[in-house]
Amino acid sequence: MSGSIVVGYTATDAGADAAALGARLARSLGAVLRLVIVLPSEGTRNAAVAPERAYEDHLRRQATQWLEEAVTGLPQELVRTGHVRFGESFAEGLIAAGEEFGARLIVVGAAGGSLFGRHRLGSVASELLHSSTIPVALAPAGTSTQDDHVLPRVTVAVGTRPGAENLLDEAAAVAGDAHVALRLVSLVPFDVPPGLDTGSIRLVGDEHSREVLAVAQGLLPETVDASVQEAHGDTVEDAVAHLDWLPGEIVLVGSSRLAQPRRLFLGSTAAKMLHELPVPMIVVPRTRAEAGVR
């Protein structure tokens, strides 16, 4: 795999979680791991004010030290580097770093106060999920304290919205690069026009499942298996809670159809899924007409 995994790093539990997920993905995908700390833009400082300049130099030295410690603590077999960058916001700096390094993913941790194993969006993740041109991976709280799993399976949540092909392409590429199985979870019951009876929804769901499985099998190497599973439940949250999840697996979802082309916008279905997910979520930008799961 070409490219790299960019981790939005801070010397906090969330930063450790992001680094741990980044390491897992980099190992599985054969990518370079780049830890990035973003400091306030250098252009905003007044070089004539010595105390301010001295403080900013101190911040840079401290950030460099944190990065050196974090990089040293990561698995030695990984190609990993640390970088200090500057930006108007942490998210803006991460996107710029991602574009600079040709990143396949940007990884961030959960907000402080998150329940163990769960997601809670902080300001950086929220900004990324409304502006990034690069897929964003969200690490649940406590990822760094879990066993150092290799990626066991890739799950992709697909609906019937136009543009799901792009999401399926990305999921198939990740599964193929990692040499793991791909599970397609059908969210058709939550992605059809209101008013359809149960029998009609089942027919739509069965047909959709066969179609996406056929497409996935055409995209994957012969050595990679693909299967399809329908998410059952009265709500999205209920359906996600009843799915089985393997330790260390990831789930991919598409950006909202409201997103601008090649940018992210976390939609209502993905946001509802996030409330119940015990595994990392990767949100893929809309690069065609609309996203598959919104």
Side-chain angles (χ1 to χ4, degrees):
M1 169 192 166
S2 60
S4 57
I5 307 292
V6 166
V7 171
Y9 186 72
T10 54
T12 62
D13 290 342
D17 291 337
L21 175 57
R24 182 191 306 167
L25 292 168
R27 181 190 298 109
S28 298
L29 300 174
V32 175
L33 183 62
R34 302 190 186 276
L35 270 58
V36 177
I37 288 180
V38 180
L39 299 178
S41 177
E42 287 183 304
T44 62
R45 71 187 184 186
N46 185 350
V49 181
E52 182 178 326
R53 178 62 179 267
Y55 176 69
E56 292 178 349
D57 289 343
H58 168 73
L59 283 182
R60 182 162 190 163
R61 288 193 298 271
Q62 180 65 78
T64 300
Q65 179 183 336
W66 284 331
L67 286 169
E68 290 173 350
E69 293 171 353
V71 166
T72 300
L74 289 169
Q76 299 300 301
E77 71 271 17
L78 292 176
V79 179
R80 66 237 189 267
T81 57
H83 307 269
V84 177
R85 291 293 182 268
F86 297 87
E88 294 299 324
S89 70
F90 203 104
E92 179 186 282
L94 284 181
I95 294 171
E99 293 173 345
E100 173 189 349
F101 294 126
R104 185 167 187 172
L105 294 168
I106 294 174
V107 185
V108 291
S114 301
L115 295 176
F116 183 86
R118 297 294 179 178
H119 295 271
R120 183 166 175 261
L121 297 181
S123 59
V124 173
S126 295
E127 185 176 346
L128 285 171
L129 291 176
H130 288 85
S131 61
S132 180
T133 56
I134 299 167
V136 172
L138 305 171
T143 299
S144 64
T145 65
Q146 299 171 353
D147 291 338
D148 190 21
H149 300 288
V150 295
L151 189 63
R153 180 175 66 184
V154 173
T155 289
V156 57
V158 289
T160 58
R161 300 287 181 175
E165 296 88 350
N166 176 69
L167 175 61
L168 192 53
D169 286 348
E170 182 66 22
V174 172
D177 289 343
H179 306 289
V180 297
L182 175 64
R183 176 177 63 161
L184 301 106
V185 171
S186 174
L187 295 181
V188 166
F190 313 104
D191 202 23
V192 296
L196 284 185
D197 59 57
T198 303
S200 298
I201 292 175
R202 186 177 295 111
L203 287 174
V204 172
D206 290 345
E207 178 64 24
H208 178 255
S209 297
R210 288 192 294 269
E211 290 177 356
V212 296
L213 181 58
V215 172
Q217 289 172 333
L219 294 170
L220 288 168
E222 292 182 359
T223 55
V224 177
D225 294 327
S227 62
V228 65
Q229 180 177 353
E230 185 174 331
H232 296 284
D234 296 330
T235 64
V236 172
E237 294 91 337
D238 186 39
V240 171
H242 284 88
L243 288 170
D244 65 290
W245 299 99
L246 300 177
E249 84 169 287
I250 58 173
V251 59
L252 278 74
V253 301
S255 180
S256 169
R257 69 183 188 276
L258 300 177
Q260 295 297 315
R262 297 191 177 279
R263 290 188 180 275
L264 289 182
F265 189 92
L266 191 66
S268 59
T269 301
K272 291 173 183 176
M273 289 180 65
L274 202 60
H275 293 158
E276 291 294 333
L277 273 179
V279 299
M281 172 188 276
I282 296 176
V283 187
V284 179
R286 183 171 74 87
T287 55
R288 295 187 183 179
E290 293 179 336
V293 173
R294 56 186 178 81

